[in-house]
Amino acid sequence: IGKKMREVEVAGEELKSYALDHHGIIAAVCKDLGIAKRIDDRLNKKDPRRVVSAGIAAVAMVINGLGFTNRRLYLTPQFFESKPIDRLLGSDISAKHLDDKALGKGLDDISSYGSSRLFGELAFDIALENNLLSTLAHLDSTSLSVTGEYDVASQENIVSLTYGHSKDHRPDLKQVMMSLVVSGKSAIPIWMEPHDGNTSDKKSFHETIKRVRDFQKQLKGCPDFKWIADSALYSRDKLLKETSYLWLSRVPETITEARALVEKPENEILWVEREKGYKTASFNSNYGDVDQRWLLIYSKQSYEREKKTFEKKLDKQESALKKALWHLGNDVFSCEVDALKEAKKIAKKFLYHDVEMTMIAVTKHKKTGRPKAGEAGEKIGVKIESTFKRNEASIEVFLNRKGRFILATNDLDDKNFSDQHILEEYKQQQNVERGFRFLKDPWFMVDSVFLKSPKRIEALMMIMTLCLMVYNIAQYRLREALVEKKETLPNQINKPIKNPTMRWIFQIMEGIGLVRFYEKNIEKPEREIITNLNELRRKIIRLLGRSAQEIYGIV
């Protein structure tokens, strides 16, 4: 306690420090992709009085969004106060210029141009230039909850903020829907599209595909996609009549033929064993008068997980059934018909149990006192004695459905598009789902959106998807560089790996700073030092290319 603390010197304006952390990586990828210039060239908003262009504003919001500090949009100036803006944005602006007016103006410009159109033009240009597209396009949708009051009467609004089926399980909040399309090994998002909060996937999926395909016709060298989506895409009236493109979709089990197939007894199916606990069985179908291939898929992992959940449900049902039958056994009914009617009501609620009942007559003697030997009482009603046991047959039928699902495709070429390829390509649908989890991460820019108008929400959705694009491309580039150079990086337990996530890389880069020394001119530093660059961080920066090296000063 008595130990004297070491005296420290408090710096004045001659010394300033800035947090560089992982933000330099984000800025480098944005620079390599030319995001700010691409946006400014398209919006063509040349106003000499404007300090922050729409392109710079967009990149600033991407850096903020990928800062994983959960700062709201209007706190962007505060976010950049501790950052070296000139290195990150390559522009002679300060944090005060990145206020809500400048960012709001940028969002308005994006909305006026068309959020989906602008993102599509950027994404396809970047994907084609960097050879990031494949012949597959994965489509899915999600809901984004919104809070606050909005100007919903404006004719400029494209989407309606309203109540609908909430995939966030927040039916109390208004929402907006978003469709997302990703493609290629980098899972680059190539299309985003806002929809009204009550829009159904069964309608929006087909509309999105049509718009993307119309957009593709304007591009050179763009592959014709095979479209992959969940069961909302599978429609007798729309998808099955479509012959202009190939598709792969999950089949809804509401279809009689599909339900019969997933409930088929195990010994009646000719399974083919696959890796990682999968089995497949191929069938031909003419559902909707369209020739197609149906692939029944079994996943052992899914089966075990779903079976465990079902068994817990059965245990709860048995406790509830036991309690219900106990109460039933204490009731006296005037006749067997009434007793049987009440018993059937209970049994009807428990589909996986058989209830066996015995009617017991309830008698009462008219005279008081002890009845004489052999004297029978008068019947006043009936009681039910009941037992139950599990209905193993119905449980078996139900469990047959567990771990099983059906995929359908109109690609009948089983040589070039084998059953194994069908399974592998559908599993890549998780790339879209991962994208949605990324956008909804509480450490991301927003988990609920608070802006002045729906049109700005549309534009912000475009910025959020741009964040996902930058993140996925950065991750893909780093992993490719590791493979190419035969290098590895340590994971959280110091094990060498070639597929680190950018989230982990961002954590590794935490603590890198920039120190500036000033003398006479407090606006222009005399000297700059990048701090806390150990060998691992230098290695990561070199793997990410020259732009990153320049920002971190190791060229």
Side-chain angles (χ1 to χ4, degrees):
I1 296 176
K3 189 175 181 179
K4 187 178 179 180
M5 293 184 65
R6 180 181 297 175
E7 292 185 3
V8 296
E9 183 181 353
V10 179
E13 291 188 343
E14 75 281 1
L15 185 71
K16 293 182 180 179
S17 64
Y18 301 87
L20 193 51
D21 298 327
H22 68 279
H23 310 303
I25 293 177
I26 304 166
V29 176
C30 289
K31 180 181 178 182
D32 289 342
L33 300 179
I35 289 175
K37 186 177 185 306
R38 292 178 194 272
I39 291 176
D40 288 336
D41 287 348
R42 283 168 171 80
L43 300 188
N44 196 27
K45 297 287 184 179
K46 296 180 180 179
D47 186 346
R49 298 169 298 177
R50 191 168 177 176
V51 179
V52 180
S53 69
I56 294 296
V59 172
M61 285 186 276
V62 169
I63 295 174
N64 184 8
L66 290 174
F68 295 103
T69 57
N70 206 24
R71 292 179 189 263
R72 295 298 185 260
L73 194 62
Y74 65 90
L75 294 178
T76 299
Q78 184 189 82
F79 172 82
F80 277 102
E81 279 179 0
S82 61
K83 310 297 184 298
I85 294 182
D86 55 335
R87 279 186 173 269
L88 297 178
L89 297 180
S91 179
D92 189 20
I93 60 176
S94 62
K96 67 180 181 181
H97 294 127
L98 295 169
D99 57 15
D100 56 347
K101 291 183 180 179
L103 302 183
K105 178 63 176 171
L107 292 174
D108 289 341
D109 291 341
I110 291 171
S111 178
S112 297
Y113 187 85
S115 302
S116 292
R117 174 189 170 193
L118 179 60
F119 184 82
E121 290 177 1
L122 295 179
F124 272 98
D125 278 0
I126 290 170
L128 289 170
E129 288 178 14
N130 293 274
N131 194 29
L132 296 176
L133 290 181
S134 73
T135 57
L136 306 176
H138 294 266
L139 169 64
D140 206 345
S141 73
T142 193
S143 59
L144 295 174
S145 301
V146 295
T147 57
E149 299 297 328
Y150 302 89
D151 176 16
V152 297
S154 174
Q155 296 298 317
E156 298 177 358
N157 297 332
I158 299 175
V159 298
S160 172
L161 306 181
T162 185
Y163 298 102
H165 173 66
S166 175
K167 298 183 180 182
D168 296 332
H169 306 291
R170 289 300 306 269
D172 56 314
L173 295 179
K174 291 184 178 180
Q175 65 181 23
V176 61
M177 299 293 295
M178 181 174 77
S179 292
L180 182 67
V181 180
V182 306
S183 181
K185 292 182 179 179
S186 67
I188 179 175
I190 54 174
W191 192 266
M192 57 76 56
E193 196 167 80
H195 300 288
D196 293 344
N198 57 0
T199 300
S200 168
D201 290 349
K202 293 180 180 180
K203 177 182 178 184
S204 65
F205 278 6
H206 297 281
E207 294 175 346
T208 297
I209 291 175
K210 184 180 185 307
R211 275 189 279 270
V212 175
R213 299 190 76 239
D214 289 343
F215 181 82
Q216 285 180 278
K217 293 176 183 178
Q218 307 169 30
L219 307 174
K220 291 183 179 180
C222 188
D224 195 14
F225 293 134
K226 178 183 293 177
W227 288 89
I228 303 176
D230 64 22
S231 59
L233 182 66
Y234 196 86
S235 164
R236 181 195 290 264
D237 297 331
K238 294 180 180 179
L239 183 67
L240 298 186
K241 296 184 181 301
E242 182 59 63
T243 58
S244 60
Y245 62 85
L246 297 175
W247 48 262
L248 172 62
S249 171
R250 187 162 176 163
V251 180
E253 292 179 20
T254 52
I255 297 174
T256 303
E257 293 92 324
R259 188 177 183 87
L261 184 55
V262 295
E263 292 180 351
K264 201 175 184 69
E266 181 77 9
N267 58 4
E268 295 181 14
I269 302 173
L270 188 61
W271 291 109
V272 176
E273 297 288 341
R274 305 289 180 184
E275 294 181 347
K276 299 180 180 179
Y278 283 96
K279 295 190 295 187
T280 64
S282 186
F283 300 87
N284 293 322
S285 174
N286 190 251
Y287 178 75
D289 297 324
V290 174
D291 289 334
Q292 54 195 287
R293 295 160 59 195
W294 280 17
L295 187 67
L296 178 63
I297 297 173
Y298 167 84
S299 166
K300 183 178 180 180
Q301 288 183 342
S302 295
Y303 175 80
E304 295 295 341
R305 184 174 59 251
E306 293 173 13
K307 181 183 178 183
K308 187 175 181 180
T309 301
F310 179 63
E311 286 176 345
K312 289 181 179 179
K313 180 181 177 181
L314 279 180
D315 290 339
K316 289 182 179 180
Q317 285 188 348
E318 286 179 2
S319 296
L321 179 55
K322 186 176 181 180
K323 186 176 180 180
L325 293 179
W326 182 86
H327 284 290
L328 180 67
N330 287 328
D331 291 336
V332 177
F333 298 91
S334 60
C335 64
E336 291 187 4
V337 174
D338 289 344
L340 189 60
K341 183 178 180 181
E342 193 63 28
K344 286 183 176 179
K345 282 183 182 179
I346 295 175
K348 189 176 181 181
K349 297 177 182 178
F350 300 91
L351 302 177
Y352 303 107
H353 295 85
D354 290 329
V355 179
E356 295 180 358
M357 296 169 287
T358 304
M359 298 292 177
I360 306 296
V362 179
T363 60
K364 184 177 181 181
H365 293 276
K366 289 184 178 181
K367 296 179 181 180
T368 58
R370 188 172 186 176
K372 295 179 180 179
E375 183 180 355
E378 181 181 354
K379 183 178 179 181
I380 62 170
V382 294
K383 278 189 174 184
I384 297 178
E385 286 187 357
S386 54
T387 58
F388 67 87
K389 62 180 180 179
R390 291 188 176 185
N391 186 327
E392 299 298 340
S394 62
I395 291 175
E396 182 182 358
V397 171
F398 181 82
L399 287 177
N400 278 344
R401 299 205 305 266
K402 295 304 175 183
R404 295 182 184 180
F405 60 95
I406 302 171
L407 298 179
T409 180
N410 63 343
D411 189 341
L412 304 180
D413 186 354
D414 56 2
K415 291 185 179 180
N416 292 316
F417 191 42
S418 66
D419 292 348
Q420 179 66 24
H421 285 142
I422 290 176
L423 174 59
E424 290 174 353
E425 291 182 2
Y426 186 77
K427 286 169 65 178
Q428 294 304 312
Q429 187 71 4
Q430 63 185 343
N431 287 333
V432 196
E433 295 165 1
R434 275 198 295 261
F436 287 141
R437 288 197 297 271
F438 174 90
L439 294 176
K440 294 184 177 186
D441 192 311
W443 284 106
F444 185 55
M445 186 189 308
V446 282
D447 52 1
S448 60
V449 185
F450 190 97
L451 292 170
K452 291 181 179 179
S453 65
K455 69 176 185 178
R456 286 192 178 181
I457 290 178
E458 298 159 18
L460 183 59
M461 290 166 69
M462 179 267 190
I463 296 294
M464 293 166 70
T465 315
L466 198 58
C467 288
L468 176 61
M469 176 199 288
V470 171
Y471 180 94
N472 282 1
I473 290 179
Q475 181 170 272
Y476 175 74
R477 284 185 169 183
L478 180 62
R479 291 177 175 182
E480 287 292 291
L482 287 170
V483 172
E484 180 183 343
K485 298 182 183 299
K486 299 180 179 180
E487 297 274 6
T488 61
L489 292 173
N491 65 5
Q492 289 87 336
I493 57 175
N494 210 32
K495 179 181 177 181
I497 56 172
K498 292 186 177 182
N499 61 338
T501 66
M502 285 312 295
R503 179 69 69 88
W504 171 235
I505 297 301
F506 290 170
Q507 293 179 26
I508 291 175
M509 304 296 282
E510 191 174 304
I512 299 176
L514 171 67
V515 179
R516 285 175 170 165
F517 299 87
Y518 299 84
E519 290 185 6
K520 297 179 181 179
N521 188 346
I522 62 172
E523 298 296 329
K524 186 176 180 181
E526 297 291 331
R527 187 181 175 196
E528 294 182 326
I529 297 178
I530 302 290
T531 62
N532 301 324
L533 275 183
N534 59 26
E535 192 54 42
L536 175 58
R537 291 168 175 173
R538 289 174 182 270
K539 180 179 180 179
I540 292 170
I541 293 166
R542 290 194 179 98
L543 287 167
L544 288 167
R546 186 169 183 82
S547 293
Q549 294 172 36
E550 289 175 350
I551 290 175
Y552 287 98
I554 64 170
V555 177

